[in-house]
């Protein structure tokens, strides 16, 4: 008798329709995923000859997992089938927020991928200005605004990738990394707090150790292999939030 429930469970599994609701809710298999990648030149894909950046390899990973992924945004870069995004080369977080505010109501994403702060970190280092750098509040504000723009969406926020401090000809290379570290501290605390209060938001750590200077092709941009590593980290984050049942059907 003790084994009967298990046995019945097994029978049910075998006889059930291919996609029972509990399975659809927590697996990428067959799942429609409308994704908005938001950020600066790293989201655009600078440093990658194809222009696909992390978005191309992420699309491949999602497709191999049989998700029905689409990328949204009014910017286009790359030579794969889903080249849309909201990545603005050279844009501060304030400029990114303003650009997204202009078009947000034309899109209904399931997922938002946010990688912002590197441009602010570099600009602040170049003009320096000691800490605290002004953009910390802007990064925090944008994290909140994307949840306001798209209340249905789950938000993945990257702890941002490092720069290569060996580029001594860059004005303020070491200071830029110091700023990146401060931005990541703020991102970690903001995301932890918003998640604690019940928002569907999660950190994806791409900071030093996950992505390293060796993954970069210049001062701040990954090459194709580095972007593939970023894609793998986003993919793991997407698997995690889908497994939590956070990603709802429209
Ligand atoms: C995309 O661009 C890269 C780099 O220029 C090139 O190697 C690749 O063949 C292109 N792929 C397609 C599908 O056009």
């Amino acid at each position: 008798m003790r084994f009967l429930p298990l046995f019945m469970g097994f029978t049910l599994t075998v006889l059930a329709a291919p996609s029972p609701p509990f399975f659809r809710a927590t697996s990428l298999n067959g799942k429609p995923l409308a994704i908005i990648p938001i950020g600066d030149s790293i989201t655009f894909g600078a440093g990658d000859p194809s222009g696909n950046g992390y978005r191309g390899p992420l699309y491949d990973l999602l497709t191999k997992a049989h998700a029905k992924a689409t990328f949204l945004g009014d910017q286009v870069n790359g030579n794969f089938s889903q080249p849309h995004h909201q990545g603005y080369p050279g844009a501060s977080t304030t400029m990114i927020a303003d650009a997204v505010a202009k078009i947000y109501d034309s899109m209904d994403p399931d997922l938002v991928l946010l990688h912002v702060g590197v441009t602010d970190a570099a600009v602040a280092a170049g003009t320096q200005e000691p800490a605290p750098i002004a953009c910390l509040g802007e990064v925090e504000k944008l994290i909140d605004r994307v949840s306001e723009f798209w209340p249905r969406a789950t938000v993945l926020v990257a702890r941002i990738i490092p720069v290569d401090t060996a580029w001594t000809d860059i004005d303020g290379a070491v200071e830029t990394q110091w700023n990146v570290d401060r931005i990541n501290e703020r991102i970690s605390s903001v995301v932890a707090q918003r998640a604690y209060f019940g928002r569907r938001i999660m950190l994806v750590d791409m900071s030093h150790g996950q992505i390293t200077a060796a993954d970069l092709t210049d001062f701040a941009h990954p090459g194709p292999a580095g972007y593939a590593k970023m894609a793998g980290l986003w993919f793991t984050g997407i698997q995690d939030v889908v497994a939590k049942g956070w990603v709802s059907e429209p």
Side-chain angles (χ1 to χ4, degrees):
M1 274 313 275
R2 287 193 55 177
F3 296 105
L4 191 55
L6 259 183
F7 175 74
M8 287 176 69
F10 177 73
T11 307
L12 278 173
T13 305
V14 169
L15 297 180
S19 299
F22 71 89
F23 181 72
R24 272 228 316 272
T26 58
S27 164
L28 287 173
N29 195 351
K31 189 162 187 64
L33 282 179
I35 301 171
I36 304 188
I38 298 176
D40 54 21
S41 54
I42 295 165
T43 297
F44 174 85
D48 177 358
S50 72
N52 296 340
Y54 73 70
R55 298 172 289 108
L58 176 58
Y59 180 73
D60 290 344
L61 288 169
L62 291 167
T63 302
K64 284 201 188 91
H66 307 292
K68 290 187 256 169
T70 50
F71 288 98
L72 310 178
D74 70 344
Q75 305 295 298
V76 176
N77 192 39
N79 67 6
F80 70 120
S81 66
Q82 295 288 328
H84 291 267
H85 66 94
Q86 298 282 166
Y88 303 91
S92 67
T93 296
T94 307
M95 290 159 68
I96 295 167
D98 289 347
V100 175
K102 288 204 184 84
I103 50 90
Y104 79 92
D105 57 1
S106 66
M107 299 180 292
D108 181 23
D110 302 298
L111 280 172
V112 178
L113 310 181
L114 206 55
H115 186 285
V116 294
V118 177
T119 299
D120 305 80
V123 170
T127 58
Q128 209 43 281
E129 197 178 315
I133 56 171
C135 80
L136 294 178
E138 297 304 319
V139 170
E140 178 166 351
K141 210 190 305 177
L142 180 54
I143 290 171
D144 286 335
R145 282 182 88 186
V146 295
S147 297
E148 289 157 19
F149 290 155
W150 303 297
R152 194 181 67 77
T154 293
V155 181
L156 298 185
V157 186
R159 279 168 52 83
I160 58 181
I161 67 172
V163 295
D164 185 351
T165 54
W167 283 65
T168 47
D169 53 333
I170 298 276
D171 191 18
V174 171
E175 290 82 356
T176 299
Q177 183 57 46
W178 194 91
N179 290 341
V180 164
D181 293 340
R182 301 292 82 71
I183 292 167
N184 278 334
E185 285 169 2
R186 177 66 69 96
I187 287 171
S188 293
S189 67
V190 168
V191 171
Q193 199 251 7
R194 303 313 192 257
Y196 183 81
F197 284 106
R199 201 181 290 170
R200 282 170 301 165
I201 186 166
M202 203 183 80
L203 277 179
V204 176
D205 189 9
M206 302 199 183
S207 66
H208 191 73
Q210 300 296 326
I211 303 294
T212 70
D215 295 315
L216 306 182
T217 190
D218 59 24
F219 173 59
H221 301 105
Y227 277 125
K229 278 174 81 173
M230 288 183 74
L233 295 166
W234 283 128
F235 181 67
T236 301
I238 292 171
Q239 286 178 307
D240 287 350
V241 292
V242 170
K244 286 173 193 278
W246 282 7
V247 185
S248 57
E249 308 285 337

